[in-house]
Amino acid sequence: MIVNYLSAHPEKVLFFVCDSADTRQKGRMRVFEQWYNHLKVADIEKYDAAIETTDMDIYCSIIIHSQNKLRAHIISSFQHLADATTEKLKSY
């Protein structure tokens, strides 16, 4: 189970992207959100981002242990990556 893995290895981060090939990415993101809310694990945090363009929306998240020593840097980098990717894709 992911929660057990992150609890045993708080330095790890799970990064996932909801596949958009069949345009069901928003539904997949909702399922992940429901799963996370159902678990309610105190030390596990989830952060979401949406990369939105005129052609597609890409939904992604990270799941991280609250005791990860690089937590603040990882969250900031994740948000920056999403923002920078959105801006880059707008230029195409």
Coordinates of all heavy atoms in Angstrom, one line a residue:
M1 N 0.8 -1.2 0.0 CA 0.0 0.0 0.0 C 0.9 1.2 0.0 O 1.9 1.3 0.6 CB -0.9 0.0 1.2 CG -1.8 1.2 1.4 SD -2.8 1.0 2.8 CE -4.3 1.5 2.1
I2 N 0.5 2.3 -0.7 CA 1.2 3.5 -0.9 C 1.5 4.2 0.5 O 2.6 4.6 0.7 CB 0.5 4.5 -1.8 CG1 0.4 3.9 -3.2 CG2 1.1 5.8 -1.8 CD1 -0.5 4.6 -4.1
V3 N 0.5 4.2 1.3 CA 0.7 4.8 2.6 C 1.7 4.2 3.5 O 2.6 4.8 4.1 CB -0.7 4.9 3.4 CG1 -0.5 5.4 4.8 CG2 -1.7 5.7 2.6
N4 N 1.7 2.8 3.5 CA 2.8 2.1 4.2 C 4.1 2.4 3.6 O 5.1 2.5 4.4 CB 2.5 0.6 4.2 CG 1.2 0.2 4.9 OD1 0.7 1.0 5.7 ND2 0.6 -0.9 4.6
Y5 N 4.2 2.4 2.3 CA 5.5 2.7 1.7 C 6.1 4.1 2.1 O 7.2 4.2 2.5 CB 5.4 2.6 0.2 CG 6.7 2.8 -0.5 CD1 7.7 1.8 -0.6 CD2 7.0 4.0 -1.1 CE1 8.9 2.0 -1.2 CE2 8.2 4.2 -1.8 CZ 9.2 3.2 -1.8 OH 10.4 3.4 -2.4
L6 N 5.2 5.1 2.0 CA 5.7 6.4 2.3 C 6.0 6.6 3.8 O 6.9 7.3 4.2 CB 4.6 7.5 1.9 CG 4.5 7.7 0.4 CD1 3.4 8.7 0.1 CD2 5.8 8.2 -0.2
S7 N 5.2 5.8 4.6 CA 5.5 5.9 6.1 C 6.9 5.2 6.4 O 7.6 5.7 7.2 CB 4.4 5.1 6.9 OG 3.2 5.9 6.7
A8 N 7.2 4.2 5.7 CA 8.5 3.5 5.8 C 9.6 4.3 5.2 O 10.8 4.1 5.6 CB 8.4 2.1 5.3
H9 N 9.3 5.0 4.2 CA 10.3 5.8 3.4 C 9.9 7.2 3.2 O 9.5 7.7 2.1 CB 10.5 5.2 2.0 CG 10.9 3.7 2.0 ND1 12.1 3.3 2.3 CD2 10.1 2.6 1.9 CE1 12.1 1.9 2.3 NE2 10.9 1.5 2.0
P10 N 9.9 8.0 4.3 CA 9.4 9.4 4.2 C 10.1 10.3 3.3 O 9.6 11.4 2.9 CB 9.5 9.9 5.7 CG 10.5 9.0 6.3 CD 10.4 7.7 5.6
E11 N 11.3 9.9 2.8 CA 12.1 10.7 1.8 C 11.6 10.5 0.4 O 12.0 11.3 -0.5 CB 13.5 10.4 1.9 CG 13.9 9.0 1.3 CD 13.6 7.8 2.1 OE1 13.1 7.9 3.2 OE2 14.0 6.7 1.7
K12 N 10.7 9.6 0.2 CA 10.2 9.3 -1.2 C 8.9 10.2 -1.5 O 8.2 10.7 -0.6 CB 9.8 7.9 -1.3 CG 10.9 6.9 -1.1 CD 11.9 7.0 -2.1 CE 13.0 5.9 -1.8 NZ 14.0 5.9 -2.8
V13 N 8.6 10.4 -2.7 CA 7.5 11.2 -3.2 C 6.8 10.4 -4.3 O 7.5 9.9 -5.2 CB 7.9 12.6 -3.7 CG1 6.7 13.3 -4.3 CG2 8.7 13.4 -2.7
L14 N 5.5 10.3 -4.3 CA 4.8 9.7 -5.4 C 4.2 10.9 -6.3 O 3.6 11.8 -5.8 CB 3.6 8.9 -4.8 CG 2.6 8.4 -5.9 CD1 3.3 7.3 -6.8 CD2 1.4 7.7 -5.2
F15 N 4.6 10.8 -7.5 CA 4.1 11.8 -8.5 C 3.3 11.1 -9.5 O 3.7 10.1 -10.0 CB 5.3 12.5 -9.2 CG 5.0 13.4 -10.3 CD1 4.7 14.7 -10.0 CD2 5.0 13.0 -11.6 CE1 4.4 15.6 -11.0 CE2 4.7 13.9 -12.6 CZ 4.4 15.2 -12.3
F16 N 2.1 11.6 -9.8 CA 1.3 10.9 -10.8 C 0.5 11.9 -11.7 O 0.2 13.0 -11.2 CB 0.3 9.9 -10.2 CG -0.8 10.4 -9.3 CD1 -2.0 10.9 -9.8 CD2 -0.5 10.5 -7.9 CE1 -3.0 11.4 -8.9 CE2 -1.5 11.0 -7.1 CZ -2.7 11.4 -7.6
V17 N 0.3 11.5 -12.9 CA -0.4 12.3 -13.9 C -1.6 11.5 -14.4 O -1.4 10.3 -14.7 CB 0.6 12.6 -15.1 CG1 -0.2 13.3 -16.2 CG2 1.8 13.3 -14.7
C18 N -2.7 12.1 -14.4 CA -3.9 11.4 -14.9 C -3.9 11.4 -16.4 O -3.9 12.5 -17.0 CB -5.2 12.1 -14.3 SG -5.3 12.0 -12.5
D19 N -3.9 10.2 -16.9 CA -3.9 10.0 -18.4 C -5.0 10.8 -19.1 O -6.2 10.8 -18.6 CB -4.0 8.6 -18.7 CG -3.9 8.2 -20.2 OD1 -3.3 9.0 -20.9 OD2 -4.4 7.2 -20.6
S20 N -4.7 11.5 -20.1 CA -5.7 12.3 -20.8 C -6.0 11.7 -22.2 O -6.8 12.4 -23.0 CB -5.2 13.7 -21.0 OG -4.0 13.8 -21.7
A21 N -5.5 10.6 -22.6 CA -5.7 10.0 -23.9 C -7.2 9.8 -24.3 O -7.6 10.0 -25.4 CB -4.9 8.7 -24.1
D22 N -8.0 9.5 -23.3 CA -9.4 9.2 -23.5 C -10.3 10.3 -23.0 O -11.5 10.2 -22.9 CB -9.8 7.9 -23.0 CG -9.6 7.8 -21.5 OD1 -9.2 8.8 -20.9 OD2 -9.9 6.7 -20.9
T23 N -9.7 11.5 -22.7 CA -10.4 12.7 -22.1 C -11.1 12.4 -20.8 O -12.1 13.1 -20.4 CB -11.4 13.3 -23.1 OG1 -12.5 12.4 -23.4 CG2 -10.7 13.7 -24.4
R24 N -10.7 11.4 -20.0 CA -11.3 11.1 -18.7 C -10.4 11.5 -17.6 O -10.5 11.0 -16.4 CB -11.6 9.6 -18.6 CG -12.7 9.2 -19.6 CD -13.0 7.7 -19.4 NE -14.0 7.3 -20.4 CZ -14.5 6.1 -20.5 NH1 -14.0 5.2 -19.7 NH2 -15.4 5.8 -21.4
Q25 N -9.4 12.4 -17.8 CA -8.5 12.8 -16.8 C -9.1 13.4 -15.6 O -8.7 13.2 -14.4 CB -7.4 13.6 -17.4 CG -7.8 15.0 -17.9 CD -8.3 14.9 -19.4 OE1 -8.7 13.9 -19.9 NE2 -8.2 16.1 -20.1
K26 N -10.1 14.2 -15.8 CA -10.8 14.9 -14.7 C -11.5 13.9 -13.7 O -11.4 14.0 -12.5 CB -11.8 15.9 -15.2 CG -12.2 16.9 -14.1 CD -13.0 18.1 -14.7 CE -13.2 19.1 -13.7 NZ -13.8 20.3 -14.3
G27 N -12.1 12.9 -14.3 CA -12.7 11.8 -13.5 C -11.7 11.0 -12.8 O -11.9 10.7 -11.6
R28 N -10.5 10.8 -13.4 CA -9.4 10.1 -12.7 C -9.0 10.9 -11.5 O -8.7 10.4 -10.4 CB -8.3 9.8 -13.6 CG -8.6 8.7 -14.6 CD -7.3 8.4 -15.5 NE -7.7 7.4 -16.4 CZ -8.2 7.6 -17.6 NH1 -8.3 8.8 -18.1 NH2 -8.5 6.6 -18.4
M29 N -8.9 12.2 -11.7 CA -8.4 13.1 -10.6 C -9.4 13.0 -9.4 O -9.0 13.0 -8.3 CB -8.2 14.5 -11.1 CG -7.5 15.4 -10.1 SD -5.8 14.7 -9.9 CE -5.1 16.2 -9.4
R30 N -10.7 13.0 -9.8 CA -11.7 12.9 -8.7 C -11.6 11.6 -7.9 O -11.8 11.6 -6.7 CB -13.1 13.0 -9.3 CG -13.7 14.4 -9.3 CD -15.2 14.4 -9.6 NE -15.6 13.6 -10.8 CZ -15.6 14.0 -12.1 NH1 -15.3 15.3 -12.3 NH2 -16.0 13.2 -13.1
V31 N -11.3 10.5 -8.6 CA -11.2 9.2 -8.0 C -10.0 9.2 -7.0 O -10.1 8.8 -5.9 CB -11.0 8.1 -9.0 CG1 -10.6 6.8 -8.3 CG2 -12.3 7.9 -9.8
F32 N -8.9 9.8 -7.4 CA -7.7 9.9 -6.5 C -8.0 10.8 -5.3 O -7.6 10.5 -4.2 CB -6.5 10.5 -7.3 CG -5.8 9.4 -8.1 CD1 -5.7 9.5 -9.5 CD2 -5.1 8.4 -7.4 CE1 -5.0 8.6 -10.2 CE2 -4.4 7.4 -8.2 CZ -4.4 7.5 -9.5
E33 N -8.8 11.9 -5.6 CA -9.2 12.8 -4.5 C -10.1 12.0 -3.5 O -9.9 12.2 -2.2 CB -9.9 14.0 -5.0 CG -10.2 15.0 -4.0 CD -9.0 15.7 -3.3 OE1 -7.9 15.7 -4.0 OE2 -9.1 16.2 -2.2
Q34 N -11.0 11.3 -4.0 CA -11.9 10.5 -3.1 C -11.1 9.5 -2.3 O -11.3 9.3 -1.1 CB -13.0 9.8 -3.9 CG -14.0 10.8 -4.4 CD -15.0 10.1 -5.4 OE1 -14.8 9.0 -5.9 NE2 -16.0 10.8 -5.8
W35 N -10.2 8.8 -2.9 CA -9.3 7.8 -2.3 C -8.5 8.5 -1.1 O -8.5 8.0 0.0 CB -8.4 7.2 -3.3 CG -7.3 6.4 -2.7 CD1 -7.3 5.1 -2.2 CD2 -5.9 6.8 -2.5 NE1 -6.1 4.8 -1.7 CE2 -5.2 5.8 -1.9 CE3 -5.2 8.0 -2.8 CZ2 -3.9 5.9 -1.6 CZ3 -3.9 8.1 -2.4 CH2 -3.2 7.1 -1.8
Y36 N -7.9 9.6 -1.4 CA -7.1 10.3 -0.4 C -8.0 10.8 0.7 O -7.6 10.6 1.9 CB -6.4 11.5 -1.1 CG -5.6 12.3 -0.1 CD1 -4.4 11.9 0.4 CD2 -6.1 13.5 0.4 CE1 -3.7 12.6 1.3 CE2 -5.4 14.3 1.3 CZ -4.2 13.8 1.8 OH -3.5 14.5 2.7
N37 N -9.1 11.4 0.4 CA -10.0 11.8 1.5 C -10.6 10.7 2.3 O -10.8 10.8 3.6 CB -11.2 12.6 0.9 CG -10.7 14.0 0.4 OD1 -9.7 14.5 0.8 ND2 -11.4 14.5 -0.6
H38 N -10.8 9.5 1.7 CA -11.3 8.4 2.5 C -10.3 7.8 3.4 O -10.6 7.4 4.6 CB -11.7 7.3 1.5 CG -12.2 6.0 2.1 ND1 -13.4 5.9 2.8 CD2 -11.6 4.8 2.2 CE1 -13.5 4.7 3.3 NE2 -12.4 4.0 2.9
L39 N -9.0 7.9 3.0 CA -7.9 7.3 3.9 C -7.7 8.2 5.1 O -7.4 7.7 6.2 CB -6.6 7.2 3.1 CG -6.6 6.0 2.1 CD1 -5.3 6.0 1.4 CD2 -6.8 4.7 2.9
K40 N -7.6 9.5 4.9 CA -7.4 10.5 6.0 C -6.2 10.1 6.9 O -6.3 9.9 8.1 CB -8.6 10.6 6.9 CG -9.9 11.0 6.2 CD -10.2 12.4 6.6 CE -11.6 12.7 5.9 NZ -11.8 14.0 5.6
V41 N -5.1 9.9 6.3 CA -3.8 9.5 7.0 C -3.1 10.8 7.4 O -2.9 11.7 6.6 CB -2.9 8.7 6.1 CG1 -1.6 8.4 6.8 CG2 -3.6 7.4 5.6
A42 N -2.9 10.9 8.7 CA -2.4 12.2 9.2 C -1.0 12.6 8.6 O -0.9 13.8 8.4 CB -2.2 12.0 10.7
D43 N -0.1 11.8 8.4 CA 1.2 12.2 7.9 C 1.4 12.2 6.4 O 2.5 12.4 6.0 CB 2.3 11.2 8.6 CG 2.4 11.4 10.1 OD1 2.1 12.6 10.5 OD2 2.7 10.5 10.8
I44 N 0.4 11.9 5.7 CA 0.5 11.8 4.2 C -0.3 13.0 3.7 O -1.4 13.2 4.0 CB -0.1 10.5 3.7 CG1 0.7 9.3 4.3 CG2 0.1 10.5 2.1 CD1 2.2 9.2 4.1
E45 N 0.4 13.8 2.8 CA -0.2 15.0 2.2 C -0.3 14.8 0.7 O 0.6 14.2 0.1 CB 0.6 16.2 2.6 CG 0.8 16.5 4.0 CD 1.8 17.6 4.4 OE1 2.4 18.1 3.4 OE2 1.9 17.8 5.6
K46 N -1.3 15.4 0.1 CA -1.5 15.4 -1.3 C -1.6 16.8 -1.9 O -2.4 17.6 -1.3 CB -2.7 14.6 -1.7 CG -3.0 14.4 -3.2 CD -4.1 13.4 -3.4 CE -5.1 13.6 -4.4 NZ -5.6 14.9 -4.7
Y47 N -0.9 17.1 -2.9 CA -1.0 18.4 -3.6 C -1.3 18.2 -5.1 O -0.7 17.3 -5.7 CB 0.4 19.1 -3.4 CG 0.7 19.4 -2.0 CD1 1.4 18.5 -1.2 CD2 0.2 20.6 -1.4 CE1 1.6 18.8 0.2 CE2 0.4 20.8 0.0 CZ 1.1 19.9 0.7 OH 1.3 20.2 2.1
D48 N -2.2 19.0 -5.6 CA -2.7 18.9 -6.9 C -2.3 20.1 -7.8 O -2.1 21.2 -7.3 CB -4.2 18.8 -6.9 CG -4.8 17.6 -6.1 OD1 -4.2 16.6 -6.1 OD2 -5.8 17.8 -5.4
A49 N -2.2 19.8 -9.1 CA -2.0 20.9 -10.0 C -2.7 20.5 -11.3 O -3.0 19.4 -11.6 CB -0.5 21.0 -10.3
A50 N -3.1 21.6 -12.0 CA -3.8 21.4 -13.3 C -3.0 22.2 -14.3 O -2.7 23.4 -14.1 CB -5.2 21.9 -13.2
I51 N -2.6 21.6 -15.4 CA -1.9 22.2 -16.5 C -3.0 22.4 -17.6 O -3.3 21.4 -18.2 CB -0.7 21.4 -16.9 CG1 0.3 21.3 -15.7 CG2 0.0 22.1 -18.1 CD1 1.3 20.2 -16.0
E52 N -3.4 23.6 -17.8 CA -4.6 23.8 -18.7 C -4.1 24.6 -19.9 O -3.5 25.6 -19.8 CB -5.7 24.6 -17.9 CG -6.2 23.8 -16.7 CD -7.1 24.6 -15.8 OE1 -7.1 25.9 -16.0 OE2 -7.8 24.0 -15.1
T53 N -4.5 24.0 -21.0 CA -4.2 24.6 -22.3 C -5.5 24.7 -23.1 O -6.5 24.1 -22.7 CB -3.1 23.9 -23.1 OG1 -3.7 22.6 -23.6 CG2 -1.9 23.6 -22.3
T54 N -5.4 25.3 -24.3 CA -6.6 25.3 -25.1 C -7.0 24.0 -25.6 O -8.1 23.7 -25.9 CB -6.5 26.3 -26.3 OG1 -5.3 26.0 -27.0 CG2 -6.3 27.8 -25.8
D55 N -6.0 23.1 -25.8 CA -6.2 21.8 -26.4 C -6.5 20.7 -25.4 O -7.2 19.7 -25.7 CB -5.0 21.4 -27.2 CG -4.8 22.3 -28.4 OD1 -5.7 22.9 -28.9 OD2 -3.6 22.4 -28.8
M56 N -6.0 20.8 -24.1 CA -6.1 19.7 -23.2 C -5.9 20.2 -21.8 O -5.3 21.3 -21.6 CB -5.2 18.6 -23.5 CG -3.7 18.9 -23.1 SD -2.7 17.5 -23.3 CE -1.8 18.0 -24.8
D57 N -6.4 19.5 -20.8 CA -6.1 19.7 -19.4 C -5.3 18.5 -18.9 O -5.7 17.4 -19.1 CB -7.4 19.9 -18.6 CG -8.2 21.2 -19.0 OD1 -7.5 22.1 -19.5 OD2 -9.4 21.2 -18.8
I58 N -4.3 18.8 -18.2 CA -3.4 17.7 -17.6 C -3.5 17.9 -16.1 O -3.2 18.9 -15.5 CB -2.0 17.8 -18.0 CG1 -1.9 17.7 -19.6 CG2 -1.1 16.7 -17.4 CD1 -0.6 18.1 -20.1
Y59 N -4.0 16.8 -15.4 CA -4.1 16.8 -13.9 C -3.0 16.0 -13.3 O -2.8 14.8 -13.8 CB -5.5 16.4 -13.5 CG -6.6 17.2 -14.0 CD1 -7.3 16.9 -15.2 CD2 -6.9 18.4 -13.4 CE1 -8.3 17.7 -15.6 CE2 -7.9 19.3 -13.9 CZ -8.6 18.9 -15.0 OH -9.6 19.7 -15.5
C60 N -2.3 16.5 -12.3 CA -1.3 15.8 -11.7 C -1.3 16.1 -10.2 O -1.8 17.1 -9.7 CB 0.1 16.1 -12.3 SG 0.5 17.8 -12.4
S61 N -0.6 15.2 -9.5 CA -0.6 15.3 -8.0 C 0.8 14.8 -7.5 O 1.4 13.9 -8.2 CB -1.7 14.6 -7.3 OG -2.9 15.1 -7.7
I62 N 1.1 15.2 -6.3 CA 2.2 14.5 -5.6 C 1.6 14.1 -4.2 O 0.7 14.7 -3.7 CB 3.4 15.4 -5.4 CG1 3.1 16.7 -4.6 CG2 4.1 15.6 -6.7 CD1 4.3 17.5 -4.2
I63 N 2.1 13.0 -3.7 CA 1.8 12.5 -2.4 C 3.1 12.4 -1.7 O 4.0 11.8 -2.1 CB 1.0 11.1 -2.4 CG1 -0.3 11.3 -3.2 CG2 0.8 10.6 -1.0 CD1 -1.1 10.0 -3.4
I64 N 3.1 13.0 -0.5 CA 4.4 13.2 0.2 C 4.1 13.0 1.7 O 3.1 13.4 2.2 CB 5.0 14.6 -0.1 CG1 6.4 14.7 0.5 CG2 4.1 15.7 0.3 CD1 7.1 16.0 0.0
H65 N 5.1 12.5 2.4 CA 5.1 12.3 3.8 C 5.4 13.7 4.5 O 6.3 14.4 4.0 CB 6.1 11.3 4.3 CG 5.9 10.8 5.7 ND1 6.2 11.5 6.8 CD2 5.3 9.7 6.2 CE1 5.9 10.9 7.9 NE2 5.3 9.7 7.5
S66 N 4.6 14.0 5.5 CA 4.8 15.3 6.2 C 6.2 15.5 6.8 O 6.6 16.6 7.0 CB 3.7 15.6 7.2 OG 3.8 14.6 8.2
Q67 N 6.9 14.4 7.1 CA 8.2 14.5 7.7 C 9.3 14.4 6.6 O 10.5 14.4 7.0 CB 8.4 13.3 8.7 CG 7.4 13.3 9.8 CD 7.4 14.6 10.6 OE1 8.5 15.1 11.0 NE2 6.3 15.2 10.8
N68 N 9.0 14.5 5.4 CA 10.0 14.6 4.3 C 10.9 15.8 4.6 O 10.3 16.9 4.6 CB 9.4 14.6 3.0 CG 10.3 14.5 1.8 OD1 11.3 15.2 1.8 ND2 10.1 13.6 0.9
K69 N 12.2 15.6 4.7 CA 13.1 16.7 5.0 C 13.1 17.8 3.9 O 13.4 19.0 4.2 CB 14.5 16.2 5.2 CG 14.6 15.4 6.5 CD 16.0 14.8 6.6 CE 16.0 13.9 7.9 NZ 17.3 13.2 8.0
L70 N 12.8 17.5 2.7 CA 12.7 18.4 1.6 C 11.3 18.8 1.2 O 11.1 19.4 0.1 CB 13.4 17.8 0.3 CG 14.9 17.5 0.5 CD1 15.4 16.7 -0.7 CD2 15.7 18.7 0.8
R71 N 10.4 18.6 2.1 CA 8.9 18.8 1.8 C 8.7 20.2 1.2 O 8.0 20.3 0.2 CB 8.2 18.7 3.1 CG 6.7 18.9 3.0 CD 6.0 18.8 4.4 NE 4.7 19.3 4.4 CZ 4.4 20.6 4.5 NH1 5.4 21.5 4.6 NH2 3.1 21.0 4.4
A72 N 9.1 21.3 1.8 CA 8.8 22.6 1.3 C 9.4 22.8 -0.1 O 8.7 23.4 -0.9 CB 9.3 23.7 2.3
H73 N 10.6 22.4 -0.3 CA 11.2 22.5 -1.6 C 10.5 21.7 -2.6 O 10.3 22.1 -3.8 CB 12.7 22.1 -1.5 CG 13.4 22.1 -2.8 ND1 13.7 23.3 -3.4 CD2 13.8 21.1 -3.6 CE1 14.3 23.0 -4.6 NE2 14.4 21.7 -4.7
I74 N 10.1 20.5 -2.3 CA 9.4 19.6 -3.2 C 8.0 20.2 -3.6 O 7.7 20.2 -4.8 CB 9.2 18.2 -2.6 CG1 10.6 17.5 -2.6 CG2 8.2 17.3 -3.5 CD1 10.6 16.2 -1.7
I75 N 7.3 20.7 -2.7 CA 6.0 21.3 -2.9 C 6.1 22.5 -3.8 O 5.4 22.7 -4.8 CB 5.2 21.6 -1.6 CG1 4.9 20.3 -0.9 CG2 4.0 22.4 -1.9 CD1 4.5 20.5 0.6
S76 N 7.1 23.3 -3.5 CA 7.3 24.6 -4.3 C 7.8 24.2 -5.7 O 7.3 24.8 -6.7 CB 8.4 25.4 -3.6 OG 8.8 26.5 -4.4
S77 N 8.6 23.2 -5.8 CA 9.1 22.8 -7.2 C 8.0 22.2 -8.0 O 7.9 22.5 -9.2 CB 10.2 21.8 -7.0 OG 11.3 22.4 -6.4
F78 N 7.1 21.4 -7.4 CA 6.0 20.8 -8.0 C 5.0 21.9 -8.6 O 4.6 21.9 -9.7 CB 5.2 19.9 -7.1 CG 3.9 19.4 -7.6 CD1 3.9 18.5 -8.7 CD2 2.7 19.8 -7.0 CE1 2.7 18.0 -9.1 CE2 1.5 19.3 -7.5 CZ 1.5 18.4 -8.6
Q79 N 4.7 22.9 -7.7 CA 3.9 24.0 -8.2 C 4.5 24.8 -9.3 O 3.9 25.2 -10.2 CB 3.5 24.9 -7.0 CG 2.6 24.1 -6.0 CD 2.5 24.8 -4.7 OE1 3.3 25.7 -4.3 NE2 1.4 24.5 -3.9
H80 N 5.8 25.1 -9.1 CA 6.6 25.8 -10.2 C 6.6 25.0 -11.5 O 6.4 25.6 -12.6 CB 8.0 26.1 -9.7 CG 8.8 26.8 -10.8 ND1 8.6 28.1 -11.1 CD2 9.8 26.3 -11.6 CE1 9.5 28.4 -12.1 NE2 10.2 27.3 -12.4
L81 N 6.8 23.7 -11.4 CA 6.8 22.9 -12.6 C 5.4 23.0 -13.4 O 5.4 23.2 -14.6 CB 7.1 21.4 -12.3 CG 7.0 20.4 -13.4 CD1 8.0 20.7 -14.5 CD2 7.1 19.0 -12.9
A82 N 4.3 22.9 -12.6 CA 3.0 23.0 -13.2 C 2.8 24.4 -13.9 O 2.3 24.5 -15.0 CB 1.9 22.7 -12.2
D83 N 3.1 25.4 -13.1 CA 3.0 26.8 -13.7 C 3.8 27.0 -14.9 O 3.4 27.5 -15.9 CB 3.3 27.8 -12.6 CG 2.3 27.8 -11.5 OD1 1.2 27.3 -11.6 OD2 2.7 28.4 -10.4
A84 N 5.1 26.6 -14.9 CA 6.0 26.8 -16.0 C 5.5 25.9 -17.2 O 5.6 26.4 -18.4 CB 7.4 26.4 -15.6
T85 N 5.1 24.7 -17.0 CA 4.6 23.9 -18.1 C 3.3 24.5 -18.7 O 3.2 24.5 -20.0 CB 4.3 22.5 -17.6 OG1 5.5 21.9 -17.0 CG2 3.8 21.6 -18.7
T86 N 2.4 25.0 -17.9 CA 1.3 25.7 -18.5 C 1.7 26.9 -19.4 O 1.2 27.0 -20.5 CB 0.3 26.2 -17.3 OG1 -0.1 25.1 -16.6 CG2 -0.8 27.0 -17.9
E87 N 2.6 27.7 -18.9 CA 3.1 28.8 -19.7 C 3.8 28.4 -21.0 O 3.6 29.0 -22.0 CB 4.0 29.7 -18.9 CG 3.3 30.5 -17.8 CD 2.1 31.3 -18.3 OE1 2.3 32.1 -19.3 OE2 1.0 31.2 -17.7
K88 N 4.6 27.3 -20.9 CA 5.3 26.8 -22.0 C 4.3 26.3 -23.1 O 4.5 26.6 -24.3 CB 6.3 25.7 -21.6 CG 7.1 25.2 -22.7 CD 8.2 26.1 -23.0 CE 9.2 25.5 -24.0 NZ 10.2 26.4 -24.4
L89 N 3.3 25.5 -22.6 CA 2.3 25.0 -23.6 C 1.5 26.0 -24.2 O 1.0 25.9 -25.4 CB 1.5 23.9 -22.9 CG 2.2 22.6 -22.5 CD1 1.3 21.7 -21.7 CD2 2.7 21.9 -23.7
K90 N 1.3 27.1 -23.5 CA 0.5 28.2 -24.1 C 1.2 28.9 -25.3 O 0.6 29.5 -26.2 CB 0.2 29.3 -23.1 CG -0.9 28.9 -22.1 CD -1.1 30.0 -21.1 CE -2.2 29.6 -20.1 NZ -2.4 30.7 -19.1
S91 N 2.5 28.8 -25.3 CA 3.3 29.4 -26.4 C 3.3 28.6 -27.7 O 3.8 29.0 -28.7 CB 4.7 29.7 -26.0 OG 5.4 28.5 -25.8
Y92 N 2.8 27.4 -27.7 CA 2.8 26.5 -28.9 C 1.6 26.8 -29.8 O 0.5 27.1 -29.4 CB 2.8 25.0 -28.5 CG 4.2 24.6 -28.0 CD1 4.4 24.3 -26.7 CD2 5.2 24.5 -28.9 CE1 5.6 23.9 -26.2 CE2 6.5 24.1 -28.5 CZ 6.6 23.8 -27.1 OH 7.9 23.4 -26.7

